[in-house]
Amino acid sequence: MVGGWRRIQVLVVPMLAPRSYTREDVVEFQCHGGDVCVRRVLQLCLEAGARLAQPGQLKHHSSIFLLAL
């Protein structure tokens, strides 16, 4: 434990533009455990300035990308 928190392992996969599926910078997080770990990682990301994708945003961007081909 560190400062009352247990350490958790998280795999971080950056997918940088223009080589990502949406041609934008995207970061994927893979964490073990249950909802508590996932929610804590999400909270830390949001506090650091990340933002959540809007509903349908990834689908919209992938449609635009497919139409551009």
Side-chain angles (χ1 to χ4, degrees), residues 5-57:
W5 288 94
R6 290 186 178 168
R7 290 185 184 201
I8 58 173
Q9 294 179 339
V10 177
L11 177 63
V12 179
V13 183
M15 294 166 271
L16 304 178
R19 294 185 174 193
S20 69
Y21 186 71
T22 60
R23 295 188 180 220
E24 296 178 321
D25 291 340
V26 177
V27 179
E28 177 180 304
F29 292 86
Q30 300 176 14
C31 18
H32 64 85
D35 287 346
V36 174
C37 291
V38 173
R39 289 178 193 276
R40 180 64 178 145
V41 170
L42 179 59
Q43 177 186 6
L44 291 170
C45 291
L46 294 173
E47 288 173 1
R51 68 170 182 81
L52 297 175
Q54 299 297 315
Q57 181 180 2

Side-chain angles (χ1 to χ4, degrees), residues 49-63:
R51 68 170 182 81
L52 297 175
Q54 299 297 315
Q57 181 180 2
L58 295 178
K59 183 178 179 181
H60 171 74
H61 284 293
S62 63
S63 298

